[in-house]
Amino acid sequence: MNKNILLVDDDLDILSALKILLVPEGYGVNLCQTPSSALAAIKKTQFDLVLMDLNYSLDTTSGEEGLTLIADIRKLEDDLPIVVMTGWATVEVAVSTMQNGANDFIQKPWDIERLISIINNQLKLASSEKNSQKLTQQNQLLQQRLDSEFKGDIISQSPVMQKTLALIEQVAQSHACILLTGENGTGKSMFARYIHQHSNRKDANQISVNMGAVSETLFESEMFGHVKGAFTDAKSTRIGRFELADGGSLFLDEIANTPYSQQAKLLRVLEDQQFEKVGASKTQSVDVRLICASNANLNQMVAAGEFRKDLLYRINTIAIEIPALRHRKEDIVLLADAFLTQWANKYGRNKLVLDEQAKYALVSYDWPGNIRELNHVLERAQILCQGVFINVNDLGLSVNTTQTDTAKVDVKQGEFTEKQTLDSLADLELTIIDQRLKHFDGNVLKAAKSLGLSRSALYRRLDKI
């Protein structure tokens, strides 16, 4: 495909000479005689390079019109190569043009071979930089896909989780902003991926941002991007997270950590779906579906003046609380089994099996760290267990923390007696079995299967109880 060059000079003879020179080289050329007409052309047409004079009608030596044109072009096209030519060449003029955004400089009358060489080199550099930027962006998107890939369905048989999933699936198809709340480790980021993959944006990208890791000074650059030269370390144009998520979903984890001074800027993008890169004046539009997560009480933060009320209203169109693991005990053994499969595959070992006492311990534990803690406990057990069956000792859970809501415990003493422990476990087991039987309308085979037991094993437990 022919490269398209914009030629800008107030001397029509020079424009004609350049056209005669460049067209046989395979370039398409457009001619402009004034800075204003050049800017109008750039707004309408995609050019690969601008070859422009530095002096125009106001004067023939200062170069002020040309420097202004360079600055105006940079506001429109940050990465468009600009080659300046002038008959009043000095070191100071050359330095000034480069400092103001030109890519190269040539003196009139030009050496034909050098001019062609400069044009070719600038086009190659621009092409290389654009390909590099595309590759970087593609790698980022690929990594986002790998990081956010969700395989399989969410494991859940507990009534509270079934209710939550039903709500999530209902709202996933909408374009509404969703706020996921809940304790640390409940899997809010996983549910954000689940929402995305059950939405009509599932074929686009989901971009995730941990707002706690975005510093106040880099907030705009990270979220909206920046143009080359916008600040000292801006050596190249950066694509922000909103632009990367265009057409897809943007997940802002730990939204409560957004610096207060930047919340108004975030609100503006969410309301208008428009932003400007740092250092650029051109407004860009995006189409993103926002999903946020927080373990903080945002209403309390609003009351304390730490979070904007209008931003909270914008992000919590639909608020969904992810249940803590201790409130979905029916899922614990199923989740543990899935994690054991995951870690066995990762470490290239046979899958281990939880013995009955280990299962009791898992269900009895309070899980302050929720699913994340359960996953870590099972990884450690997979590594340290010496046999085929994981026992209570392999789990490393302390007795004092395996307290349940149904346990018969003297809270003041804070300790179990041996009899209390056995009674609590028996009561808990009976409660779980009863819940499973009710869930499957008395079908013993299905209830046993859901608990990882055979039918005969389930009957034996009922007899013991």
Side-chain angles (χ1 to χ4, degrees):
M1 182 177 179
N2 290 342
K3 298 294 185 180
N4 199 12
I5 298 178
L6 176 64
L7 305 177
V8 190
D9 197 299
D10 58 350
D11 190 329
L12 188 57
D13 290 337
I14 290 179
L15 292 177
S16 299
L18 288 170
K19 182 176 181 180
I20 293 173
L21 173 64
L22 297 176
V23 169
E25 295 290 330
Y27 297 117
V29 297
N30 290 64
L31 311 180
C32 290
Q33 288 186 274
T34 65
S36 59
S37 62
L39 291 173
I42 292 172
K43 290 178 181 178
K44 293 180 180 179
T45 307
Q46 184 66 43
F47 294 105
D48 298 290
L49 182 140
V50 175
L51 179 61
M52 54 167 281
D53 191 19
L54 200 57
N55 298 293
Y56 294 89
S57 58
L58 294 182
D59 63 72
T60 59
T61 58
S62 72
E64 290 299 324
E65 285 183 283
L67 295 177
T68 300
L69 176 58
I70 294 172
D72 290 339
I73 291 174
R74 281 288 168 254
K75 292 177 183 177
L76 299 174
E77 299 285 348
D78 173 65
D79 54 359
L80 178 62
I82 301 174
V83 178
V84 171
M85 53 185 180
T86 181
W88 302 90
T90 65
V91 173
E92 290 76 11
V93 171
V95 170
S96 181
T97 57
M98 304 293 279
Q99 288 178 337
N100 282 273
N103 297 84
D104 211 332
F105 181 90
I106 189 169
Q107 183 177 0
K108 295 179 184 178
W110 56 79
D111 178 271
I112 293 178
E113 290 186 2
R114 184 167 185 271
L115 177 60
I116 297 297
S117 176
I118 288 175
I119 292 174
N120 288 336
N121 287 339
Q122 288 301 323
L123 289 172
K124 288 178 181 178
L125 286 172
S127 177
S128 177
E129 186 172 341
K130 186 170 293 186
N131 288 336
S132 176
Q133 186 176 359
K134 285 182 178 180
L135 182 60
T136 299
Q137 179 178 354
Q138 290 167 356
N139 287 340
Q140 289 176 324
L141 295 177
L142 176 60
Q143 187 60 51
Q144 289 286 348
R145 279 201 188 98
L146 293 174
D147 291 342
S148 64
E149 186 176 5
F150 178 79
K151 297 179 180 179
D153 295 325
I154 290 176
I155 297 173
S156 170
Q157 289 190 352
S158 62
V160 66
M161 200 62 246
Q162 289 292 324
K163 184 177 179 181
T164 301
L165 279 178
L167 176 59
I168 286 175
E169 290 172 2
Q170 180 182 354
V171 303
Q173 292 293 325
S174 72
H175 296 287
C177 295
I178 296 177
L179 174 62
L180 301 175
T181 62
E183 298 176 6
N184 273 327
T186 51
K188 293 186 288 294
S189 60
M190 179 185 68
F191 285 100
R193 296 194 292 271
Y194 187 86
I195 291 170
H196 175 74
Q197 293 198 355
H198 283 76
S199 73
N200 54 13
R201 297 170 179 259
K202 62 184 179 181
D203 294 327
N205 296 297
Q206 183 196 27
I207 303 300
S208 301
V209 187
N210 184 344
M211 301 304 287
V214 180
S215 67
E216 184 171 1
T217 54
L218 295 177
F219 179 86
E220 289 185 85
S221 177
E222 287 288 333
M223 302 305 295
F224 313 134
H226 62 248
V227 298
K228 180 180 178 181
F231 46 87
T232 304
D233 294 327
K235 295 180 170 51
S236 62
T237 296
R238 178 187 178 87
I239 298 175
R241 303 302 179 92
F242 272 93
E243 189 173 355
L244 286 173
D246 191 20
S249 302
L250 179 64
F251 174 50
L252 302 184
D253 198 7
E254 303 299 341
I255 184 69
N257 291 325
T258 305
Y260 191 88
S261 61
Q262 306 299 326
Q263 291 177 20
K265 298 170 184 175
L266 180 59
L267 177 64
R268 181 241 169 171
V269 180
L270 298 179
E271 289 182 336
D272 301 336
Q273 296 281 286
Q274 293 182 331
F275 68 94
E276 292 86 32
K277 284 187 173 74
V278 178
S281 58
K282 184 177 181 180
T283 299
Q284 295 181 235
S285 298
V286 288
D287 172 26
V288 299
R289 197 272 182 84
L290 186 72
I291 306 171
C292 299
S294 176
N295 62 356
N297 188 319
L298 294 178
N299 286 313
Q300 288 182 0
M301 293 185 66
V302 169
E306 298 172 348
F307 200 85
R308 292 179 63 102
K309 182 185 294 187
D310 46 6
L311 179 57
L312 177 58
Y313 291 156
R314 172 59 60 177
I315 67 175
N316 74 342
T317 304
I318 299 174
I320 301 174
E321 182 175 3
I322 306 302
L325 188 56
R326 63 182 174 276
H327 296 149
R328 43 183 298 208
K329 291 184 179 294
E330 299 92 336
D331 301 331
I332 291 176
V333 173
L334 297 175
L335 287 165
D337 185 70
F339 288 144
L340 285 175
T341 300
Q342 169 189 321
W343 294 121
N345 292 336
K346 179 175 181 178
Y347 292 113
R349 298 176 59 182
N350 293 328
K351 180 183 174 182
L352 302 183
V353 180
L354 293 162
D355 70 18
E356 296 308 313
Q357 293 300 317
K359 290 180 182 178
Y360 295 154
L362 290 179
V363 176
S364 302
Y365 185 58
D366 202 40
W367 297 111
N370 292 292
I371 294 177
R372 184 182 296 122
E373 183 182 7
L374 175 64
N375 194 7
H376 292 166
V377 166
L378 272 300
E379 181 184 13
R380 182 176 63 243
Q382 175 76 45
I383 295 170
L384 299 179
C385 181
Q386 298 298 315
V388 177
F389 292 94
I390 295 174
N391 59 41
V392 174
N393 293 330
D394 295 323
L395 297 176
L397 301 177
S398 63
V399 174
N400 288 341
T401 54
T402 55
Q403 178 178 329
T404 69
D405 295 336
T406 59
K408 300 173 181 177
V409 181
D410 185 341
V411 177
K412 293 181 179 179
Q413 293 178 352
E415 296 180 352
F416 287 102
T417 65
E418 183 178 358
K419 183 178 184 305
Q420 285 174 328
T421 302
L422 293 174
D423 288 344
S424 298
L425 292 176
D427 289 346
L428 177 62
E429 185 173 34
L430 178 60
T431 300
I432 293 174
I433 291 173
D434 182 61
Q435 289 175 344
R436 291 290 85 202
L437 287 170
K438 288 179 180 178
H439 180 76
F440 291 105
D441 297 323
N443 189 314
V444 176
L445 182 59
K446 289 184 178 180
K449 186 176 180 181
S450 73
L451 294 169
L453 301 173
S454 65
R455 181 162 52 182
S456 59
L458 180 59
Y459 278 126
R460 285 197 300 272
R461 278 159 180 74
L462 288 171
D463 289 340
K464 288 179 182 180
I465 295 170

